[in-house]
Amino acid sequence: MSHMTVLGFDYGKARIGVAITNTLTGIATPQSTVQAHDGVPDWNAITRCLQEWQPKRLVVGMPRKLDGSDSAMQEPILRFIRQLEGRYGLPVDVVSEQLSSLEAEQRLKQTRQAGRKRKVRKEEIDQIAATIILESWIQEYHHGQQKL
């Protein structure tokens, strides 16, 4: 199995969390937060991320409602995915994700309880949510469910 760099995105209408992983290490790490205005991403910032990290694949989280039905974010996220594919010509995998932002907030609160002093920022939550999305992708990838 060859190793590759993969960027993960937690899309939001105001901010997009970005995380990175390498399939060799299987460790996802928060990278940055890209601003969006009325759902339109800062494409220059995304391009800079891609130029810096040279990923071979992109991963985007797709939230579902707790009952499994489509969320209100489905259409904006599908548009974002189509734009990523069109602009960069890279394969984009979609990972079903539920409550990644809530889990991200809980992880950050745990680090604060372990001695962290400053307040948790929304940008950090977005980055950790992107990390959680990539962790889900890594599990699928390493269990052979991901067709590459």
Side-chain angles (χ1 to χ4, degrees), residues 2-145:
S2 64
H3 73 282
M4 66 177 150
T5 299
V6 180
L7 276 183
F9 297 95
D10 176 43
Y11 176 85
K13 290 184 178 181
R15 290 174 313 280
I16 301 166
V18 183
I20 187 166
T21 190
N22 185 299
T23 55
L24 187 64
T25 64
I27 298 170
T29 54
Q31 173 54 40
S32 63
T33 303
V34 172
Q35 297 303 309
H37 302 284
D38 293 325
V40 178
D42 178 347
W43 289 109
N44 291 330
I46 291 175
T47 298
R48 284 192 298 274
C49 286
L50 271 74
Q51 288 171 339
E52 179 178 355
W53 296 103
Q54 301 288 306
K56 298 293 183 229
R57 184 170 225 89
L58 306 175
V59 175
V60 178
M62 179 65 74
R64 312 280 295 172
K65 291 182 181 175
L66 291 178
D67 66 5
S69 63
D70 296 340
S71 80
M73 288 299 291
Q74 181 169 356
E75 278 308 311
I77 291 171
L78 289 173
R79 184 170 47 253
F80 176 63
I81 290 167
R82 287 190 298 272
Q83 290 172 328
L84 285 172
E85 290 170 334
R87 285 175 179 262
Y88 305 110
L90 292 170
V92 179
D93 292 335
V94 179
V95 172
S96 178
E97 57 113 346
Q98 272 185 315
L99 308 176
S100 62
S101 294
L102 185 62
E103 183 180 339
E105 203 168 348
Q106 289 172 339
R107 285 187 189 186
L108 285 167
K109 284 178 181 174
Q110 288 171 349
T111 61
R112 190 169 60 211
Q113 290 168 354
R116 177 188 166 118
K117 298 294 185 228
R118 63 186 177 85
K119 188 174 182 283
V120 171
R121 296 189 334 261
K122 289 179 180 170
E123 289 82 3
E124 292 175 293
I125 293 170
D126 296 330
Q127 291 174 30
I128 300 293
T131 303
I132 292 166
I133 289 164
L134 266 185
E135 288 170 352
S136 295
W137 181 86
I138 291 165
Q139 286 181 329
E140 290 180 21
Y141 175 81
H142 282 296
H143 286 95
Q145 297 169 1

